[in-house]
Amino acid sequence: MSGETSTIDSLIEQKYQHGFVTDIESDTLPPGLSEDVIRAISARKKEPEWLLEWRLKAYTHWLGMQQPDWAHLNIDAIDFQAVSYFSAPKSDKDRPQSLDDVDPKLLETYDKLGVPLHERARLAGVAVDAVFDSVSVGTTFKAELKKAGVIFCSFSEAVQDHPELVQKYLGSVVPQRDNFFAALNSAVFTDGSFVFIPKGVRCPMELSTYFRINAAETGQFERTLIIAEEGSHVSYLEGCTAPMRDENQLHAAVVELVAFDDANIKYSTVQNWYPGDENGLGGIYNFVTKRGDCRGARSRISWTQVETGSAITWKYPSCILRGDESVGEFYSVALTNNYQQADTGTKMIHIGRNTRSKIISKGISAGHGQNAYRGLVRMTPRAENARNYTQCDSMLIGKKCGAHTFPYIEVRNPSAKVEHEATTSRIGEDQLFYCLQRGISEEDAVSMIVDGFCKQVFKELPMEFAVEAKALLEVSLEGAVG
Amino acid sequence: MLKITNLHAKVAGKEILKGLSLDLQAGEVHAIMGPNGAGKSTLGNVLAGREGYEVTQGEVIFNGKNLLELEPEERACEGVFLAFQYPVEIPGVNNTYFLRAALNAQRKYRGEDPLDSVSFLRLVREKLKVLHIGDELLHRAVNEGFSGGEKKRNEIFQMAVLEPSLAILDETDSGLDIDALKTVAEGVNRLRSKDRGMIVVTHYQRLLDYIVPDKVHVLADGKLVATGGADLALKLEEQGYAWLDDGGIKPLNIELAGQTLNP
Ligand SMILES: Nc1ncnc2c1ncn2[C@@H]1O[C@H](COP(=O)(O)OP(=O)(O)OP(=O)(O)O)[C@@H](O)[C@H]1O
Ligand SMILES: [Mg+2]
């Protein structure tokens, strides 16, 4: 009965199930970044002059910035000139008018991913704005949303159809100069989602986007903007999975959320980028800047994320609690296996009076995985009676992985209160034995224990995605299940 | 049904069981008593196949099978149930869900169809009723935040649902109020049948008032040093274990009414 480590090792070993490549001819720009490349991207997308100017300004900022150096990530230098900054499926040239017009190969790809587009959309009442590489191809349920006055479209479409909204809000939450990757994204972003919920409207369905990286050596630079006017409600979900690759793929997205008085935005992510193989080769580099601005009083922004993919994840969905009595929430499950590294967390910046924030972070490390939670809670001098509650739990599976917690707390208002709880546990050998002793197999026991550990976060996800997230964790943890 | 012969086992490099032999016939209940640290829990863990408990010598035959060759979950599916001295908390995992997963895993092993949730619930309610346990435990996570007594009751409840053929109760009576003690006894007595066997590890005679054992063993320093009838427990309660040691390291081979001391 010895060799605990080796049985657990084999248990958590798994092959990436979504590892395949679709060979749709890509219309890809040659690698490298320059003003010309940016002009080419902008021209292909037929963007207005102001947007080109905006991109070029960001590029200038970016040239003067240094790639950050992180204590807990082990990253080889990224050669930004080796990355191609634009890739679109050929069929984009004559845009499909409906799903029937979508390249069947593409639909097949979604099928393999377990995303039967029409089925799923109809059954779950979800509007799916499918992003394939950098350009949106299938958009459904537009009509129903339109009736409610909701705008949900690709970012490029929004640039064409609602330029005044884009111009007004783009970069208003994440300024171009915010950080190295935000600057890069601002210069070269290709597509993403745009959501606008007008005053008093409760969005009639979950809004969901499936992302997927496809063309080799192609950076993926999503740009998403969600605006919720006074008293509106919206729940948005993004999910992604990527094909198997040997090259490290760069992903640097920017997501901006704006919530006005009494508005409510729930943003959920189930993220499954290709994590690299058992030896840490390949896999996506995922550098994301996500920020929500609770601009209005009593507004609420809630981030829920389940991160199981990527070779490297660097991501801190944040809330700026500007409005009095506004609320920010962050619920996160981050799993690292094999040689994956994750450095995630959140920032809660309390500016308004009586603002509240809650952080529930669950980190799971297996194999050689390294998981770091980095969280900032800042109570500014104006934040009278602001409250934060942080709970940060880590679970270790096996003996070669690690978990690290870095809470940064700044309190500049004496009436503000910050509570922080942190625990680290090894997946109990005793818990495992307890399950085995009742007849439950080791695999089922591990996924049961992990699922229980993540419960607090899963219950924040929309029902069908909670099921998906649970399945994803199982796949990420188990050996090839029969 | 269970025959343990000359069992030696090590934990963390240290020999804890030092030649333990025990013969449990189907239909019997044996009590094991003995001082702290004697190896009682170790015996339970070895029989259940816990990792880190290394058998260095000896043999365990259970219902004709070599128990030591089986994986822990196979032993459970073969009908070995261990009521833990310290039941484990599994946060976030619903108690009912857990138990159903366990029962269905065992049914699958036996080639039976899984119980659907309706039939399972019916079974569970019936068991709760006979054991006089409320159903509030059903809705909580496995042992999470349970009081000591609630945890022990939960073990008995699981045992009642899983209906093992060999149940090993490791101090399930410790720390219980009188009602809970009766629940434990009720659980054991209901399960008692001619094709089942039970090992009840306890420090207290009072449990044996409710569960009358067929045999009482004394485990000291890694082996059984005395075996007798129910009255041995009474003597132990009165006199402690010291008298067993009177002759030095090897206990005296004294004859007491109806009991022998093993050399
Ligand atoms: N995992 C372990 N690591 C190290 N030592 C152990 C371990 N498990 C048991 N032991 C040691 O083995 C010996 C027997 O322990 P065991 O728990 O079997 O005693 P016990 O008879 O059940 O005692 P009690 O009546 O106090 O429950 C003790 O000295 C104990 O410290
Ligand atoms: Mg013990």
Side-chain angles (χ1 to χ4, degrees):
Chain A
M1 298 296 351
S2 61
E4 177 196 341
T5 341
S6 67
T7 55
I8 289 185
D9 277 356
S10 68
L11 200 62
I12 59 186
E13 200 178 279
Q14 58 100 31
K15 295 279 173 287
Y16 187 74
Q17 293 202 328
H18 299 155
F20 50 84
V21 176
T22 312
D23 64 344
I24 295 173
E25 255 181 281
S26 285
D27 174 12
T28 303
L29 282 180
L33 185 51
S34 64
E35 244 187 69
D36 287 344
V37 167
I38 293 167
R39 285 178 191 283
I41 292 172
S42 192
R44 270 167 207 244
K45 301 171 79 64
K46 303 190 175 57
E47 286 176 353
E49 186 62 22
W50 65 262
L51 190 49
L52 173 62
E53 291 306 320
W54 195 81
R55 286 175 181 275
L56 291 173
K57 209 171 104 204
Y59 178 62
T60 313
H61 290 316
W62 181 74
L63 286 176
M65 292 170 94
Q66 289 286 318
Q67 185 181 339
D69 182 24
W70 301 283
H72 270 270
L73 294 179
N74 186 1
I75 304 176
D76 289 339
I78 298 168
D79 180 358
F80 291 93
Q81 293 305 335
V83 174
S84 170
Y85 290 87
F86 189 77
S87 139
K90 264 260 157 59
S91 51
D92 177 50
K93 287 195 171 134
D94 30 14
R95 240 173 203 291
Q97 300 308 300
S98 77
L99 279 175
D100 302 337
D101 301 340
V102 170
D103 189 335
K105 269 233 170 97
L106 181 53
L107 292 179
E108 212 179 285
T109 304
Y110 286 120
D111 274 352
K112 282 191 220 166
L113 292 173
V115 189
L117 205 48
H118 11 238
E119 286 290 83
R120 167 178 227 107
R122 215 166 290 149
L123 285 175
V126 170
V128 178
D129 174 9
V131 173
F132 180 74
D133 265 16
S134 317
V135 174
S136 301
V137 277
T139 305
T140 47
F141 287 106
K142 277 244 166 82
E144 193 177 340
L145 290 173
K146 202 169 174 180
K147 215 164 63 193
V150 171
I151 303 170
F152 176 41
C153 60
S154 74
F155 201 89
S156 313
E157 282 176 84
V159 169
Q160 303 301 327
D161 301 345
H162 309 282
E164 68 301 336
L165 288 176
V166 176
Q167 192 166 13
K168 183 165 171 195
Y169 294 105
L170 179 65
S172 75
V173 184
V174 180
Q176 294 184 333
R177 261 183 276 201
D178 189 79
N179 67 70
F180 182 83
F181 292 106
L184 178 64
N185 175 287
S186 300
V188 302
F189 71 86
T190 42
D191 216 333
S193 292
F194 179 84
V195 176
F196 179 84
I197 317 287
K199 226 176 200 167
V201 169
R202 197 173 267 272
C203 187
M205 60 187 78
E206 307 271 352
L207 302 180
S208 159
T209 305
Y210 278 83
F211 293 92
R212 181 177 170 84
I213 292 181
N214 198 275
E217 281 183 81
T218 300
Q220 182 91 7
F221 303 93
E222 313 280 352
R223 188 90 198 187
T224 290
L225 180 53
I226 298 179
I227 300 139
E229 282 198 332
E230 287 79 357
S232 67
H233 282 243
V234 61
S235 167
Y236 180 90
L237 185 128
E238 62 174 347
C240 27
T241 126
M244 190 173 288
R245 278 289 162 201
D246 253 354
E247 303 295 327
N248 285 307
Q249 291 180 307
L250 179 61
H251 181 89
V254 172
V255 175
E256 299 179 277
L257 313 182
V258 182
F260 289 99
D261 288 0
D262 300 294
N264 194 322
I265 302 177
K266 191 171 170 59
Y267 192 107
S268 314
T269 306
V270 174
Q271 191 270 114
N272 185 26
W273 297 117
Y274 177 55
D277 66 14
E278 309 77 286
N279 302 312
L281 197 64
I284 305 297
Y285 285 9
N286 192 29
F287 304 100
V288 184
T289 307
K290 285 182 165 172
R291 192 171 304 154
D293 188 356
C294 283
R295 237 169 250 188
R298 298 167 306 277
S299 57
R300 180 189 205 106
I301 290 180
S302 174
W303 298 99
T304 306
Q305 60 173 30
V306 177
E307 303 274 339
T308 65
S310 297
I312 292 170
T313 303
W314 178 87
K315 177 173 178 182
Y316 315 92
S318 307
C319 295
I320 301 171
L321 303 169
R322 223 184 283 280
D324 289 347
E325 292 171 53
S326 60
V327 178
E329 292 171 319
F330 175 73
Y331 300 95
S332 167
V333 167
L335 179 143
T336 55
N337 195 358
N338 295 322
Y339 286 86
Q340 280 177 275
Q341 305 173 58
D343 197 312
T344 70
T346 184
K347 295 178 204 161
M348 294 291 175
I349 313 294
H350 291 254
I351 298 171
R353 280 171 244 277
N354 298 313
T355 46
R356 280 177 292 137
S357 64
K358 181 167 162 191
I359 300 170
I360 307 285
S361 163
K362 305 279 182 173
I364 303 160
S365 319
H368 291 84
Q370 292 294 324
N371 219 322
Y373 168 82
R374 200 179 292 279
L376 168 68
V377 175
R378 178 181 292 152
M379 303 294 191
T380 64
R382 275 195 46 220
E384 279 301 314
N385 287 313
R387 298 278 179 272
N388 162 265
Y389 172 74
T390 300
Q391 182 189 335
C392 189
D393 300 323
S394 311
M395 177 177 271
L396 306 176
I397 305 177
K399 301 223 161 84
K400 290 167 245 152
C401 52
H404 317 271
T405 303
F406 307 98
Y408 304 90
I409 297 170
E410 299 172 17
V411 179
R412 299 228 181 77
N413 182 311
S415 68
K417 282 210 182 82
V418 176
E419 250 182 284
H420 182 96
E421 287 177 24
T423 67
T424 300
S425 55
R426 206 161 278 286
I427 199 167
E429 183 271 325
D430 53 344
Q431 291 178 331
L432 209 50
F433 177 61
Y434 192 73
C435 295
L436 296 178
Q437 211 303 303
R438 298 304 185 243
I440 298 168
S441 74
E442 205 159 342
E443 279 192 1
D444 289 348
V446 168
S447 61
M448 195 186 272
I449 294 165
V450 169
D451 183 42
F453 177 71
C454 300
K455 196 60 132 253
Q456 265 175 303
V457 174
F458 285 175
K459 75 174 171 33
E460 295 299 323
L461 288 172
M463 186 56 180
E464 61 272 30
F465 298 120
V467 172
E468 212 165 281
K470 192 178 152 178
L472 194 58
L473 276 200
E474 275 171 24
V475 168
S476 306
L477 278 170
E478 288 174 12
V481 198
Chain B
M1 70 172 337
L2 179 73
K3 192 165 170 58
I4 305 173
T5 314
N6 191 30
L7 187 63
H8 290 253
K10 273 188 188 167
V11 185
K14 191 175 141 207
E15 184 163 61
I16 306 295
L17 297 184
K18 305 172 179 171
L20 185 145
S21 297
L22 183 146
D23 195 350
L24 176 80
Q25 301 295 325
E28 288 182 344
V29 173
H30 288 198
I32 295 185
M33 307 182 79
N36 293 135
K40 302 181 299 294
S41 296
T42 301
L43 175 63
N45 284 323
V46 167
L47 293 177
R50 185 171 197 144
E51 215 157 283
Y53 289 74
E54 191 195 345
V55 174
T56 50
Q57 241 192 85
E59 191 183 56
V60 180
I61 303 296
F62 172 62
N63 283 336
K65 292 202 166 99
N66 182 349
L67 192 68
L68 301 178
E69 275 179 355
L70 302 178
E71 293 296 326
E73 64 273 28
E74 291 171 331
R75 299 183 196 197
C77 291
E78 288 286 340
V80 176
F81 179 92
L82 176 64
F84 286 62
Q85 182 171 4
Y86 304 108
V88 179
E89 303 193 3
I90 312 182
V93 176
N94 176 270
N95 209 19
T96 316
Y97 176 81
F98 173 81
L99 189 51
R100 182 160 161 229
L103 181 65
N104 281 337
Q106 298 198 9
R107 290 176 65 96
K108 188 174 169 195
Y109 182 87
R110 297 194 296 258
E112 296 165 15
D113 286 337
L115 275 195
D116 61 51
S117 49
V118 177
S119 333
F120 178 73
L121 240 94
R122 198 177 303 131
L123 173 72
V124 156
R125 301 236 173 261
E126 178 196 311
K127 299 292 180 186
L128 287 175
K129 204 163 145 209
V130 299
L131 294 174
H132 308 289
I133 303 180
D135 64 0
E136 62 281 352
L137 297 189
L138 293 182
H139 310 298
R140 294 168 62 179
V142 180
N143 293 324
E144 194 186 22
F146 285 23
S147 74
E150 285 170 340
K151 284 182 181 171
K152 298 296 178 81
R153 270 190 233 231
N154 197 32
E155 295 291 287
I156 293 302
F157 167 55
Q158 292 182 8
M159 179 182 83
V161 171
L162 295 173
E163 302 186 316
S165 54
L166 172 66
I168 304 158
L169 276 62
D170 192 357
E171 295 198 29
T172 305
D173 58 325
S174 292
L176 292 190
D177 62 34
I178 193 72
D179 288 341
L181 191 71
K182 283 180 182 161
T183 293
V184 170
E186 180 75 30
V188 170
N189 289 330
R190 287 216 168 235
L191 206 62
R192 242 173 145 155
S193 77
K194 63 174 183 359
D195 45 8
R196 293 212 172 90
M198 284 181 223
I199 295 175
V200 178
V201 174
T202 181
H203 284 294
Y204 307 104
Q205 150 65 27
R206 62 168 194 170
L207 177 69
L208 305 180
D209 288 341
Y210 298 98
I211 305 171
V212 181
D214 298 292
K215 279 187 183 159
V216 176
H217 305 281
V218 177
L219 202 168
D221 194 27
K223 51 188 161 219
L224 298 186
V225 295
T227 293
D231 50 344
L232 176 58
L234 279 170
K235 182 172 168 74
L236 291 170
E237 178 120 311
E238 272 166 33
Q239 304 185 5
Y241 298 105
W243 59 275
L244 288 166
D245 262 341
D246 281 353
I249 297 180
K250 279 196 178 164
L252 279 181
N253 196 3
I254 42 171
E255 283 285 334
L256 290 149
Q259 64 203 37
T260 53
L261 291 180
N262 309 331

